[in-house]
């Protein structure tokens, strides 16, 4: 009996259930099939691709990994129209066994709205847990094809690619003295809502029956069922990949129309940088972009039922600058500088002020714990560009907001008392917003929780991913492992114990044998709990993926320290 058959039998017999699944084996099996799909795609063997996709979507490993994904992501507690979530091991086990193509009929989407940056509302379609798992399952089979056929300079919603890659590509394309000076800022009008269903059914290489059902399922709003005639709903797991595959091909069209050859005595220097449905195209002149490039893009999009937004699509000179992915890209006296955009910085400060205002009566430590993730996330996003001045400016604005917060709490106290009450001397800084927590450190002293300061984050240049890199091609495995290791080492700087622990494990989670990266996240688990005498030493600690950590606590009962030899 194979490992996967044993796991399936365990689920059906309920002998070990969800926690008895061999996740390392499931991951290896899925990755093996995905590598074969990518290889067949590269060779143009589409019959082989279809056969391997069928094998993966009908495998126990694929179904288990799909259910694992939808029960661990941020939407795991959000239900669809059936109000059902899979929150117990028994429900997850039954879900794995119930995923089947035969008789599958998706339920309508639950329509929700979230605010956009321009004040408008963005519609989201929330599938049921079963539909999410089916989408995750078929995405496992579609991703290797999508990554292999994607535009090399597309960076949005691909594994191992991010906004920093797109921004670094902008720098490489625009920073030199002979770089193109004009940029077409393109914006697609309602991309997700208007993609042609007919085009997707004809061109997306996946199970057509399943795809047709998803596209035509409709959505529920205020108790009424509305049909969907176009678009792929925002909110579905597979939707970003479908949208990406719809837009793939722009780069090939541009390269065919504007090859890197001399035209009228000069190179046209047409470059594409795309992140999902936001993209820019460079050129040597405004006329080239308006009269040749833009009509070409409009024709490409029209085949897919899409159009450019007349209000947001424009041609800009590099010395005037443009905003792209929260950054402002502009040349100053011939030197290209990429900085956090004013709009992005203002939105960040507004969020910080809202947190401060909504916690007028909260304890200082609670305010710090709410602010730190927001500040840290914004700083990490911008730390690869020219952001030092912006970091210092937001530090000052945050200090002003907290100073007003502190003064309001004690209107009868003078500023010296308030300063001593809320701001501590930590290291070389004398104005650190810090507070003692209720819990105590091992030495018996109260722990001090301090506010994150943006200005203390060093600016480091980002290394752009190679355009041809494919995470599903085994020949690129060493390259991606090196990138993951570099990111983790940079992320663990200042945490020597964690870095030693991660290195001692070879960068892998000992439970599932998968690599621990910045993207996967991690938790530190004590083999022997403190109540049983366990100490915070490397020999008693292990880094696990968050889900593996939860399973470790559910499966194992901690034993006294002397039984572990610690």
């Amino acid at each position: 009996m194979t490992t996967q058959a044993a796991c399936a039998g365990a689920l059906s017999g309920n002998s070990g259930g969800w926690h008895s699944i061999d996740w390392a084996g499931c991951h290896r099996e899925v990755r093996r099939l995905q590598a074969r799909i990518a290889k067949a795609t590269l060779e143009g063997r589409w019959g082989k691709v279809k056969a391997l996709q069928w094998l993966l979507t009908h495998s126990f490993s694929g179904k288990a990994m799909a259910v694992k994904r939808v029960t661990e992501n941020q939407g795991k507690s959000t239900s669809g129209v059936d109000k059902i979530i899979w929150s117990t091991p028994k429900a997850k086990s039954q879900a794995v066994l119930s995923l089947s193509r035969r008789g599958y009929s998706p339920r309508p989407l639950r329509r929700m709205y979230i605010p956009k940056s321009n004040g408008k509302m963005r519609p989201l379609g929330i599938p049921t847990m079963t539909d999410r798992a089916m989408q995750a399952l078929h995405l496992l089979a579609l991703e290797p094809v999508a990554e292999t056929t994607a535009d090399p300079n597309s960076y949005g919603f691909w594994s191992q690619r991010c906004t920093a890659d797109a921004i670094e590509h902008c720098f490489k394309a625009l920073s030199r003295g002979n770089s193109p000076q004009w940029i077409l800022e393109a914006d697609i009008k309602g991309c997700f809502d208007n993609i042609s269903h007919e085009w997707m059914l004809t061109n997306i290489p996946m199970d057509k029956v399943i795809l047709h059902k998803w596209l035509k399922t409709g959505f529920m709003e205020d108790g009424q069922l509305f049909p969907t005639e176009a678009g792929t709903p925002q909110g579905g797991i597979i939707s970003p990949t479908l949208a990406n595959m719809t837009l793939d091909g722009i780069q090939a069209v541009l390269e065919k129309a504007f090859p890197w050859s001399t035209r009228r005595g000069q190179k046209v220097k047409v470059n594409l940088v795309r992140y999902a449905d936001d993209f820019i195209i460079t050129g040597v002149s405004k006329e080239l972009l308006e009269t040749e490039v833009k009509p070409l893009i409009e024709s490409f999009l029209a085949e897919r039922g899409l159009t450019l937004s007349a209000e947001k699509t424009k041609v800009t000179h590099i010395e005037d600058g443009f905003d792209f992915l929260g950054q402002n890209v502009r040349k100053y006296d011939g030197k290209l500088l990429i900085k956090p955009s004013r709009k992005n910085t203002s939105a960040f400060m507004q969020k910080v002020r809202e947190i401060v205002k909504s916690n007028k009566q909260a304890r200082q430590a609670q305010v710090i714990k709410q602010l730190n993730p927001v500040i840290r996330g914004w700083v990490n996003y911008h730390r690869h560009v020219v952001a030092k001045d912006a970091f210092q400016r937001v530090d000052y604005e945050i200090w002003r907001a907290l100073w007003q917060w502190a003064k309001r709490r004690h209107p009868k106290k003078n500023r010296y008392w308030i300063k001593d009450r809320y701001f501590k001397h930590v290291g070389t800084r004398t104005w650190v917003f810090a507070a003692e927590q209720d819990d105590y450190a091992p030495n018996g002293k109260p722990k001090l929780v301090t506010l994150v300061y943006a200005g203390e984050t060093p600016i480091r240049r980002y290394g752009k991913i190679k355009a041809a890199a494919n995470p599903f091609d085994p020949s690129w495995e060493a390259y991606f492992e090196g990138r993951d290791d570099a990111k983790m080492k940079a992320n663990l700087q200042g945490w020597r114990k964690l870095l030693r622990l991660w290195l001692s494990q070879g960068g892998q989670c000992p439970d599932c044998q998968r690599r621990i990266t910045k993207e996967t996240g991690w938790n530190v688990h004590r083999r022997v709990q403190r109540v049983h005498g366990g100490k915070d030493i490397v020999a008693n600690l292990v880094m696990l993926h968050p889900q593996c950590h939860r399973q470790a606590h559910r499966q194992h009962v901690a034993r006294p320290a002397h039984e572990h030899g610690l």
Side-chain angles (χ1 to χ4, degrees):
M1 180 183 292
T2 64
T3 303
Q4 305 309 318
C7 290
L11 286 184
S12 59
N14 201 30
S15 60
W18 178 254
H19 297 307
S20 67
I21 295 177
D22 177 15
W23 292 112
C26 288
H27 179 69
R28 285 194 301 269
E29 178 67 13
V30 168
R31 291 294 293 183
R32 183 181 67 84
L33 289 172
Q34 288 178 325
R36 293 180 65 190
I37 292 171
K39 183 174 183 291
T41 303
L42 200 60
E43 296 170 351
R45 301 169 61 193
W46 294 105
K48 185 71 170 178
V49 170
K50 185 176 180 180
L52 290 169
Q53 286 180 324
W54 183 275
L55 186 61
L56 177 51
T57 55
H58 287 72
S59 68
F60 173 84
S61 297
K63 294 176 182 180
M65 294 296 291
V67 173
K68 187 174 189 288
R69 174 172 179 173
V70 300
T71 55
E72 292 180 10
N73 61 17
Q74 291 184 348
K76 62 184 178 181
S77 301
T78 304
S79 62
V81 293
D82 58 0
K83 305 297 183 183
I84 294 175
I85 59 173
W86 299 334
S87 57
T88 64
K90 182 179 179 180
K92 297 173 187 178
S93 301
Q94 292 174 345
V96 174
L97 300 175
S98 67
L99 291 184
S100 174
R101 183 180 187 273
R102 180 178 297 178
Y104 170 66
S105 179
R107 302 286 296 273
L109 306 173
R110 181 164 70 93
R111 177 58 64 93
M112 294 177 60
Y113 293 90
I114 60 173
K116 297 171 65 174
S117 59
N118 59 7
K120 298 181 179 179
M121 301 299 288
R122 185 191 305 276
L124 292 182
I126 309 300
T128 64
M129 293 294 288
T130 299
D131 295 336
R132 268 178 267 175
M134 285 294 286
Q135 288 189 20
L137 175 60
H138 283 268
L139 181 59
L140 290 173
L142 183 61
E143 270 186 319
V145 181
E147 289 272 6
T148 304
T149 60
D151 286 342
N153 295 326
S154 170
Y155 302 99
F157 299 112
W158 298 120
S159 60
Q160 301 290 338
R161 299 189 178 212
C162 62
T163 54
D165 291 298
I167 295 299
E168 183 63 18
H169 190 184
C170 287
F171 181 83
K172 291 179 180 296
L174 296 167
S175 62
R176 295 183 294 272
N178 61 351
S179 295
Q181 302 294 302
W182 292 92
I183 298 95
L184 172 65
E185 300 178 65
D187 185 273
I188 301 174
K189 188 175 182 179
C191 179
F192 280 83
D193 298 330
N194 297 310
I195 299 174
S196 168
H197 285 179
E198 289 70 25
W199 190 93
M200 282 193 285
L201 289 168
T202 303
N203 294 278
I204 300 295
M206 64 168 292
D207 191 317
K208 307 298 184 184
V209 174
I210 296 294
L211 179 59
H212 183 271
K213 289 180 178 180
W214 286 338
L215 295 177
K216 301 298 184 181
T217 188
F219 63 91
M220 296 290 295
E221 185 174 11
D222 297 329
Q224 290 185 321
L225 176 63
F226 296 87
T228 49
E229 302 299 333
T232 175
Q234 298 182 64
I237 288 176
I238 203 171
S239 295
T241 300
L242 295 178
N244 258 336
M245 296 188 76
T246 301
L247 297 177
D248 279 333
I250 296 179
Q251 187 167 341
V253 169
L254 292 173
E255 288 176 353
K256 183 179 180 180
F258 309 101
W260 283 95
S261 59
T262 303
R263 176 195 245 204
R264 294 190 298 272
Q266 64 175 352
K267 291 185 177 181
V268 291
K269 301 176 183 177
V270 174
N271 300 290
L272 169 74
V273 184
R274 180 167 73 84
Y275 187 90
D277 59 337
D278 293 329
F279 61 95
I280 64 164
I281 301 174
T282 67
V284 292
S285 69
K286 185 176 183 179
E287 292 73 26
L288 173 74
L289 294 175
E290 288 183 337
T291 62
E292 298 187 53
V293 173
K294 186 178 177 182
L296 194 66
I297 298 301
E298 289 175 334
S299 175
F300 175 89
L301 295 176
E303 296 177 7
R304 293 151 174 78
L306 301 172
T307 59
L308 289 175
S309 171
E311 300 81 15
K312 298 181 180 179
T313 301
K314 56 185 177 180
V315 177
T316 308
H317 195 273
I318 189 61
E319 291 186 357
D320 296 325
F322 63 94
D323 289 349
F324 185 55
L325 303 177
Q327 315 283 11
N328 179 260
V329 184
R330 182 181 175 185
K331 271 190 174 180
Y332 299 82
D333 297 326
K335 182 176 182 180
L336 185 74
L337 297 180
I338 303 178
K339 306 177 182 180
S341 69
R342 291 184 178 180
K343 184 178 179 181
N344 182 274
T345 304
S346 297
F348 164 69
M349 283 307 308
Q350 182 179 355
K351 187 173 184 179
V352 168
R353 293 186 181 105
E354 287 175 354
I355 293 174
V356 174
K357 289 180 180 179
S358 63
N359 286 276
K360 294 177 180 178
Q361 305 301 325
R363 302 185 65 176
Q364 186 182 7
Q366 185 63 31
V367 176
I368 294 173
K369 289 179 180 179
Q370 289 190 41
L371 286 176
N372 277 351
V374 177
I375 299 172
R376 194 177 285 115
W378 186 81
V379 169
N380 287 340
Y381 184 84
H382 293 287
R383 64 177 174 168
H384 303 299
V385 299
V386 185
K388 201 66 178 180
D389 289 345
F391 287 176
Q392 293 175 351
R393 186 168 62 252
V394 299
D395 277 342
Y396 173 69
E397 293 297 332
I398 293 172
W399 175 85
R400 285 185 58 186
L402 293 174
W403 181 252
Q404 293 298 324
W405 174 86
K407 284 173 59 178
R408 181 189 176 278
R409 293 164 69 92
H410 307 283
K412 296 183 180 180
K413 297 293 185 179
N414 61 46
R415 59 191 181 189
Y416 300 104
W417 186 94
I418 293 173
K419 189 265 183 186
D420 293 338
R421 171 69 175 79
Y422 291 101
F423 295 88
K424 310 295 182 184
H425 188 126
V426 179
T428 58
R429 297 183 68 104
T430 57
W431 279 80
V432 179
F433 193 71
E436 294 179 351
Q437 296 186 98
D438 292 335
D439 53 341
Y440 285 77
N443 59 8
K445 296 182 179 179
K447 289 183 179 179
L448 194 68
V449 55
T450 61
L451 186 73
V452 170
Y453 285 88
E456 293 182 345
T457 300
I459 304 297
R460 289 193 176 94
R461 184 77 176 270
Y462 182 81
K464 190 183 87 69
I465 191 172
K466 292 183 179 180
N470 185 346
F472 297 101
D473 186 343
S475 64
W476 287 96
E477 187 171 350
Y479 171 76
F480 283 111
E481 286 185 359
R483 285 180 64 86
D484 288 338
D485 288 352
K487 289 179 183 178
M488 275 296 288
K489 288 176 181 177
N491 203 45
L492 295 177
Q493 287 296 325
W495 303 86
R496 294 184 180 179
K497 185 182 290 187
L498 280 179
L499 182 59
R500 284 175 54 204
L501 189 59
W502 181 76
L503 291 172
S504 69
Q505 297 176 193
Q508 290 186 331
C509 172
D511 273 22
C512 66
Q513 307 303 315
R514 294 173 59 189
R515 295 188 65 79
I516 297 175
T517 66
K518 181 181 177 181
E519 287 72 26
T520 64
W522 67 87
N523 291 144
V524 177
H525 175 67
R526 295 178 182 83
R527 292 189 173 97
V528 182
Q529 295 180 1
R530 284 179 180 175
V531 294
H532 294 138
K535 299 180 180 179
D536 285 340
I537 57 176
V538 173
N540 188 44
L541 302 176
V542 59
M543 289 180 74
L544 303 173
H545 290 125
Q547 176 63 18
C548 297
H549 187 217
R550 288 191 289 270
Q551 289 193 188
H553 277 285
R554 289 165 181 159
Q555 283 183 305
H556 306 296
V557 177
R559 293 178 293 167
H562 66 273
E563 295 186 24
H564 291 269
L566 296 174

